[in-house]
Amino acid sequence: MSGMFTDRDEDRDGAAPAAGAEVEPTQEGTAPPRAPGRRRSRTVLVAAAFVVVTAVAAVGALGLGGDGGEGPAAPPRAGSTVAVTRATLVERTKVDGTLGYGAEIPLPAKASGTVTWLPEAGTVAERGDTLLRVDDRPVVLLYGTLPMYRELGTTAGTAAPDTTGNPTPPAPGGAGGKGGTDGGTDGGTDTASGGTTGTGGGTDTGGGGNTDAPARSTPPQPLRGMDVLQFESNLAALGYTGFTVDERFTSGTERAVKRWQKSLGLPETGRVGLGDVVYASGRIRLGQPSVRLGAAAGENVLGYTGTTRKVVVDASAQEASWAVRGAVVAVGLPDGTAVRGQVASVGRQVTAPEGDGGTSGAAPTVPVTVTITDQRSLGRLESGPVSVEYVGRKRENVLAVPVAALVALAEGGHGLETEDGRFVTARTGLFADGMVEVSGPALRAGLKVRIPQ
C-alpha cells in the first residue's frame, strides 16, 4: 500500500516515515535497531580523522618541511628548560705520564782504584758530602758546571835568564883562571897580557866566565784558570778562608786546601787530585749503584738525578702541538687530586713504540717533561703513573647549551626544542665539559630551550 512505510524502505532510503504514518512496534515496545552497516561506516570515519590529527602532530614535532628556522607549533613536552648562554668553551685532553726524578746520569768520577764504600740508593747529597770512597779516599761533591780535568795546586818555579842586556861581571878566582888559560892558548906569545888576573890575551875567551855564573830562579807561579775560580768558590762556601776567590791558586789557597784535607782525614798535601772531587749543578739524588764493593772504580759506578720530582709524558708526535715550553697543565695524582704543572722541555728525537717495528700502526712519540713547582703538593709520592690534562682547543664568547638539549632531526642534523614546543636548527661546534657550541639564525642568548626527558 502506498501509505505504509516499511523497515526495508528506511534501511534503503535512510529517511524517517511521513507524518501520520504508522510505525509497527517491536515485541519489546522499543524503537527498531539501526542497521549494522551504518554503524561500521561511522566508526571508520572517526578512526580516519584520528590518524590524520596524529600524523599532523608528529610532523610538527619532528620539524619536517622546515628551512632551518622555526617549525610549526606543537604541544610542549615534559622536561626542564635552560637558557642559551654565551660562554668560553675549552677542550681538555688527558694523556698518561710517569712521575719520578727523571733519567739517571752517570756520575763523572775520575778516581781510579777499588771501590770501598757506596751510598744507599735515594740518598740526597749536597756540597761537601762524600759520594763514594775509592781506595778508602772520599770522592767529594762540589757545585759547578766545569768538569774536573786537571790536578790543582801551586807550580814549581823555573830559572829565568838575565833580560837586562848587560854582561854579567866575571866571577873572581877560578873563572878568571879559565879565561887566562884560554887566552894563553889563543894568544900565543901574549901570555903576559893576561897579567896576574888571568883574564887571558884572547879577547873571545874573556866572556867565558859568564857561562859559569849562578842561575837566577823565580818563586813558584800560581796556577790560573776558571777551574781554579770554581774550586775556590766551593772552598769558600764550605767556610774556609785565608785566600782570595779568583782564578789564581796561591799559597793561601794551598793552606786552605790542607785544612780541608785534614777535615776529610786525607794527607795534607795542599793539592787537589783529579779524582778527589765531582762537580754537579746542585744537590743530587744518588741512584742504585751499578757495581759492588771491591769492584774497580769508573764513571759508570753510580748514577744520579736531580732532587726535583717531575712528570715525563710520551706524547704522540702527531698530536704534540700542546707541548709548548711554559704551557700550564694539570697533573692528576693516584688519589684523585690534581696539581699544577708546567711544560719544561720537549724532546726532539721521535721514538717508535718499543718492539713495534712499525707493524702495529702505533704512533711514534716524543718525550715531554713537566715540572711541578709546588713539590709539597705531591706529598710523599715519589714515583708512579699519573695523568696529564692539557688544553686542546678553545672557543671564546660563543653560544652554548648543555649537550643533553640537542635533538636529532628527522631530516638530519641537530636542533633545539624551544619552550613553546617549536624546533629550530642548531649547527654544533666544540664540545667541552658537557656543553656544546651552537649557532643558527633562530638562536640567541637568553632563548629558553627544553631538555628532553
Side-chain angles (χ1 to χ4, degrees), residues 351-409:
T351 304
E354 186 175 354
D356 175 54
T359 59
S360 67
T365 60
V366 293
V368 178
T369 301
V370 176
T371 57
I372 300 171
T373 304
D374 185 7
Q375 291 284 296
R376 292 178 299 178
S377 65
L378 296 173
R380 299 175 61 89
L381 188 64
E382 291 192 347
S383 62
V386 295
S387 65
V388 174
E389 184 179 80
Y390 63 87
V391 174
R393 293 184 297 165
K394 185 176 183 180
R395 297 281 292 165
E396 297 183 355
N397 195 30
V398 295
L399 295 177
V401 296
V403 176
L406 290 178
V407 177
L409 300 180

Coordinates of all heavy atoms in Angstrom, one line a residue, residues 351-409:
T351 N 110.5 8.6 18.9 CA 110.8 7.2 19.2 C 109.6 6.4 18.8 O 108.4 6.7 19.1 CB 111.1 7.1 20.7 OG1 112.1 7.9 21.1 CG2 111.4 5.6 21.0
A352 N 109.9 5.3 18.1 CA 108.8 4.3 17.7 C 108.5 3.5 19.0 O 109.3 3.3 19.8 CB 109.3 3.5 16.6
P353 N 107.2 3.0 19.1 CA 106.9 2.1 20.2 C 107.8 0.9 20.3 O 108.2 0.4 19.3 CB 105.4 1.7 19.9 CG 104.9 2.7 19.0 CD 106.1 3.2 18.2
E354 N 108.2 0.6 21.6 CA 109.2 -0.4 21.8 C 108.7 -1.8 21.3 O 107.6 -2.2 21.6 CB 109.5 -0.5 23.3 CG 110.6 -1.5 23.6 CD 110.9 -1.5 25.1 OE1 110.4 -0.6 25.8 OE2 111.8 -2.3 25.6
G355 N 109.5 -2.5 20.5 CA 109.2 -3.8 20.0 C 108.1 -3.7 18.9 O 107.5 -4.8 18.5
D356 N 107.8 -2.5 18.4 CA 106.7 -2.4 17.4 C 107.2 -2.8 16.0 O 106.5 -3.5 15.3 CB 106.1 -1.0 17.4 CG 105.1 -0.8 16.4 OD1 104.1 -1.5 16.3 OD2 105.2 0.2 15.6
G357 N 108.3 -2.2 15.6 CA 108.8 -2.4 14.3 C 108.0 -1.8 13.2 O 108.1 -2.2 12.0
G358 N 107.0 -0.9 13.5 CA 106.2 -0.3 12.5 C 105.1 -1.1 12.0 O 104.4 -0.8 11.0
T359 N 104.8 -2.3 12.7 CA 103.7 -3.2 12.2 C 102.4 -2.9 12.9 O 101.3 -3.3 12.3 CB 104.1 -4.6 12.4 OG1 104.4 -4.8 13.8 CG2 105.4 -4.9 11.7
S360 N 102.3 -2.4 14.1 CA 101.1 -2.3 14.8 C 100.3 -1.0 14.4 O 99.2 -0.8 14.8 CB 101.3 -2.3 16.3 OG 102.0 -1.2 16.7
G361 N 101.0 -0.1 13.8 CA 100.4 1.2 13.4 C 100.3 2.2 14.6 O 99.7 3.3 14.4
A362 N 101.0 1.9 15.7 CA 101.0 2.8 16.8 C 101.8 4.1 16.4 O 102.8 4.0 15.7 CB 101.6 2.2 18.0
A363 N 101.4 5.2 16.9 CA 102.0 6.5 16.6 C 103.4 6.6 17.3 O 103.5 6.3 18.5 CB 101.1 7.7 16.9
P364 N 104.4 7.2 16.6 CA 105.6 7.5 17.3 C 105.4 8.6 18.3 O 104.5 9.3 18.3 CB 106.6 8.0 16.2 CG 105.8 7.9 14.9 CD 104.4 7.5 15.2
T365 N 106.3 8.6 19.3 CA 106.2 9.6 20.4 C 107.4 10.4 20.6 O 108.5 10.1 20.2 CB 105.9 8.8 21.7 OG1 107.0 7.9 22.0 CG2 104.6 8.0 21.6
V366 N 107.2 11.5 21.4 CA 108.3 12.4 21.8 C 108.2 12.6 23.3 O 107.1 12.7 23.8 CB 108.3 13.8 21.1 CG1 108.6 13.6 19.6 CG2 107.0 14.5 21.3
P367 N 109.3 12.7 24.0 CA 109.2 12.8 25.5 C 108.9 14.3 25.8 O 109.6 15.2 25.3 CB 110.6 12.4 26.0 CG 111.5 12.6 24.8 CD 110.7 12.4 23.6
V368 N 108.0 14.5 26.7 CA 107.6 15.8 27.2 C 107.8 15.8 28.7 O 107.3 15.0 29.4 CB 106.2 16.2 26.9 CG1 105.8 17.6 27.4 CG2 106.0 16.2 25.3
T369 N 108.6 16.8 29.2 CA 108.9 16.8 30.7 C 108.1 18.0 31.3 O 108.1 19.1 30.8 CB 110.4 17.1 30.9 OG1 111.2 16.0 30.3 CG2 110.7 17.1 32.4
V370 N 107.4 17.6 32.3 CA 106.5 18.6 33.0 C 107.1 18.7 34.5 O 107.2 17.7 35.2 CB 105.1 18.1 33.1 CG1 104.2 19.0 33.9 CG2 104.5 17.9 31.7
T371 N 107.3 20.0 34.9 CA 107.8 20.2 36.2 C 106.6 20.6 37.1 O 105.6 21.2 36.6 CB 108.9 21.3 36.2 OG1 108.3 22.5 35.6 CG2 110.1 20.9 35.4
I372 N 106.8 20.4 38.4 CA 105.8 20.8 39.4 C 106.5 21.7 40.4 O 107.3 21.3 41.2 CB 105.2 19.5 40.1 CG1 104.6 18.6 39.0 CG2 104.2 19.9 41.2 CD1 104.2 17.3 39.6
T373 N 106.1 23.0 40.4 CA 106.7 24.0 41.2 C 106.5 23.7 42.7 O 107.4 23.7 43.5 CB 106.2 25.4 40.9 OG1 106.4 25.6 39.5 CG2 106.9 26.4 41.7
D374 N 105.3 23.4 43.1 CA 104.9 23.1 44.5 C 105.2 21.6 44.8 O 104.3 20.8 44.7 CB 103.5 23.5 44.8 CG 103.1 23.4 46.3 OD1 104.1 23.1 47.1 OD2 101.9 23.5 46.6
Q375 N 106.4 21.3 45.2 CA 106.7 19.9 45.4 C 106.0 19.4 46.7 O 105.7 18.2 46.7 CB 108.3 19.8 45.7 CG 109.1 20.0 44.4 CD 109.1 18.8 43.5 OE1 109.5 17.8 43.8 NE2 108.5 19.1 42.3
R376 N 105.6 20.2 47.6 CA 104.9 19.8 48.7 C 103.5 19.2 48.4 O 102.9 18.4 49.1 CB 104.7 20.9 49.8 CG 106.1 21.3 50.4 CD 105.9 22.5 51.4 NE 105.4 23.6 50.7 CZ 105.0 24.8 51.3 NH1 105.2 24.9 52.6 NH2 104.6 25.8 50.6
S377 N 102.9 19.7 47.3 CA 101.6 19.2 46.8 C 101.6 17.8 46.5 O 100.6 17.1 46.4 CB 101.1 20.1 45.7 OG 101.9 19.9 44.5
L378 N 102.8 17.2 46.2 CA 102.9 15.8 45.8 C 103.0 14.9 47.1 O 102.9 13.7 46.9 CB 104.2 15.6 45.0 CG 104.2 16.3 43.6 CD1 105.6 16.1 43.0 CD2 103.1 15.7 42.7
G379 N 103.1 15.5 48.2 CA 103.2 14.7 49.4 C 104.4 13.8 49.5 O 105.5 14.2 49.1
R380 N 104.2 12.5 49.9 CA 105.3 11.6 50.0 C 105.5 10.8 48.7 O 106.3 9.9 48.6 CB 105.1 10.6 51.1 CG 105.0 11.4 52.5 CD 104.7 10.4 53.6 NE 105.7 9.4 53.7 CZ 106.8 9.5 54.5 NH1 107.0 10.6 55.2 NH2 107.7 8.5 54.6
L381 N 104.6 11.0 47.7 CA 104.7 10.3 46.5 C 105.9 10.6 45.7 O 106.2 11.8 45.4 CB 103.4 10.6 45.6 CG 103.2 9.8 44.3 CD1 103.0 8.3 44.7 CD2 102.1 10.3 43.5
E382 N 106.7 9.6 45.3 CA 108.0 9.8 44.6 C 107.9 9.3 43.2 O 108.6 9.8 42.3 CB 109.1 9.1 45.4 CG 109.5 9.7 46.7 CD 110.8 9.2 47.2 OE1 111.3 8.1 46.7 OE2 111.3 9.8 48.2
S383 N 107.2 8.2 42.9 CA 107.1 7.7 41.5 C 105.8 7.0 41.3 O 105.1 6.6 42.3 CB 108.3 6.8 41.3 OG 108.2 5.7 42.2
G384 N 105.4 6.8 40.1 CA 104.2 6.1 39.8 C 103.5 6.7 38.6 O 103.8 7.8 38.1
P385 N 102.4 6.1 38.1 CA 101.7 6.6 37.0 C 100.7 7.7 37.4 O 100.1 7.7 38.4 CB 100.8 5.4 36.5 CG 100.7 4.5 37.8 CD 101.9 4.7 38.5
V386 N 100.7 8.7 36.5 CA 99.8 9.9 36.7 C 99.2 10.2 35.4 O 99.5 9.7 34.3 CB 100.6 11.1 37.3 CG1 101.1 10.8 38.7 CG2 101.7 11.5 36.4
S387 N 98.2 11.2 35.4 CA 97.6 11.7 34.2 C 98.0 13.2 34.0 O 98.2 13.9 35.0 CB 96.1 11.5 34.2 OG 95.6 12.3 35.2
V388 N 98.1 13.6 32.8 CA 98.3 15.0 32.5 C 97.2 15.5 31.6 O 97.0 15.0 30.5 CB 99.7 15.1 31.8 CG1 99.9 16.6 31.3 CG2 100.8 14.7 32.7
E389 N 96.5 16.5 32.0 CA 95.4 17.1 31.3 C 95.9 18.5 30.7 O 96.4 19.3 31.4 CB 94.2 17.3 32.2 CG 93.0 17.8 31.5 CD 91.8 18.0 32.5 OE1 91.8 19.0 33.2 OE2 91.0 17.1 32.5
Y390 N 95.7 18.6 29.4 CA 96.1 19.8 28.7 C 94.9 20.4 27.9 O 94.0 19.7 27.6 CB 97.3 19.6 27.8 CG 97.0 18.6 26.7 CD1 96.5 19.1 25.5 CD2 97.3 17.3 26.8 CE1 96.3 18.2 24.4 CE2 97.1 16.4 25.8 CZ 96.6 16.9 24.6 OH 96.3 16.0 23.5
V391 N 95.1 21.7 27.6 CA 94.0 22.4 26.8 C 94.3 22.1 25.3 O 95.4 22.4 24.8 CB 94.1 23.9 27.1 CG1 93.1 24.6 26.2 CG2 93.7 24.1 28.5
G392 N 93.3 21.5 24.6 CA 93.5 21.3 23.2 C 93.0 22.5 22.4 O 93.8 23.3 21.8
R393 N 91.7 22.7 22.3 CA 91.1 23.8 21.6 C 90.3 24.7 22.6 O 89.9 24.3 23.6 CB 90.2 23.4 20.5 CG 90.9 22.6 19.3 CD 89.9 22.3 18.2 NE 88.9 21.4 18.7 CZ 87.7 21.1 18.1 NH1 87.4 21.8 16.9 NH2 86.9 20.3 18.5
K394 N 90.1 26.0 22.1 CA 89.4 26.9 23.0 C 88.5 27.8 22.1 O 89.0 28.3 21.1 CB 90.4 27.8 23.8 CG 89.8 28.7 24.8 CD 90.9 29.4 25.6 CE 90.4 30.3 26.6 NZ 91.4 31.0 27.4
R395 N 87.3 28.0 22.5 CA 86.3 28.9 21.8 C 85.8 29.9 22.8 O 85.2 29.5 23.8 CB 85.2 28.1 21.1 CG 85.7 27.1 20.1 CD 86.0 27.8 18.8 NE 84.7 28.3 18.2 CZ 84.7 29.1 17.2 NH1 85.8 29.7 16.7 NH2 83.5 29.5 16.7
E396 N 86.0 31.2 22.5 CA 85.6 32.2 23.4 C 84.3 32.9 22.9 O 84.1 33.1 21.7 CB 86.7 33.3 23.6 CG 88.0 32.7 24.2 CD 89.1 33.8 24.4 OE1 88.8 34.9 24.0 OE2 90.1 33.4 24.9
N397 N 83.5 33.3 23.9 CA 82.3 34.1 23.6 C 81.4 33.5 22.5 O 81.0 34.2 21.5 CB 82.6 35.5 23.2 CG 81.5 36.5 23.3 OD1 80.6 36.3 24.1 ND2 81.5 37.5 22.5
V398 N 81.0 32.2 22.7 CA 80.2 31.6 21.7 C 78.8 31.2 22.4 O 78.8 31.1 23.7 CB 80.8 30.3 21.2 CG1 82.1 30.7 20.4 CG2 81.2 29.3 22.3
L399 N 77.8 30.9 21.6 CA 76.5 30.5 22.2 C 76.7 29.0 22.5 O 77.3 28.2 21.8 CB 75.4 30.6 21.1 CG 75.0 32.1 20.7 CD1 73.9 32.0 19.7 CD2 74.5 32.9 22.0
A400 N 76.2 28.6 23.7 CA 76.4 27.3 24.2 C 75.1 26.8 24.9 O 74.4 27.6 25.6 CB 77.6 27.2 25.0
V401 N 74.9 25.5 24.9 CA 73.8 24.8 25.6 C 74.3 23.5 26.1 O 75.3 23.0 25.6 CB 72.5 24.6 24.8 CG1 71.9 25.9 24.3 CG2 72.9 23.7 23.6
P402 N 73.7 22.9 27.1 CA 74.1 21.6 27.5 C 73.9 20.6 26.4 O 73.0 20.7 25.6 CB 73.1 21.2 28.7 CG 72.7 22.6 29.2 CD 72.7 23.5 28.0
V403 N 74.8 19.6 26.3 CA 74.7 18.6 25.2 C 73.4 17.9 25.3 O 72.8 17.5 24.2 CB 75.9 17.6 25.4 CG1 75.8 16.5 24.3 CG2 77.2 18.3 25.2
A404 N 72.8 17.7 26.4 CA 71.5 17.0 26.6 C 70.4 17.7 25.9 O 69.3 17.1 25.7 CB 71.2 16.8 28.1
A405 N 70.5 19.0 25.6 CA 69.4 19.7 25.0 C 69.3 19.4 23.5 O 68.3 19.8 22.8 CB 69.6 21.2 25.2
L406 N 70.4 18.9 22.9 CA 70.3 18.6 21.4 C 69.3 17.5 21.1 O 69.1 16.6 21.8 CB 71.7 18.1 20.9 CG 72.8 19.2 20.9 CD1 74.1 18.5 20.5 CD2 72.5 20.3 20.0
V407 N 68.6 17.8 19.9 CA 67.6 16.8 19.4 C 68.0 16.5 18.0 O 68.3 17.3 17.2 CB 66.2 17.4 19.5 CG1 65.2 16.5 18.9 CG2 65.8 17.8 20.9
A408 N 68.0 15.2 17.7 CA 68.3 14.7 16.3 C 67.0 14.9 15.4 O 65.9 14.5 15.8 CB 68.7 13.3 16.3
L409 N 67.2 15.7 14.3 CA 66.1 16.0 13.4 C 65.9 14.9 12.4 O 66.9 14.2 12.0 CB 66.3 17.3 12.7 CG 66.4 18.5 13.7 CD1 66.7 19.8 12.8 CD2 65.2 18.7 14.5

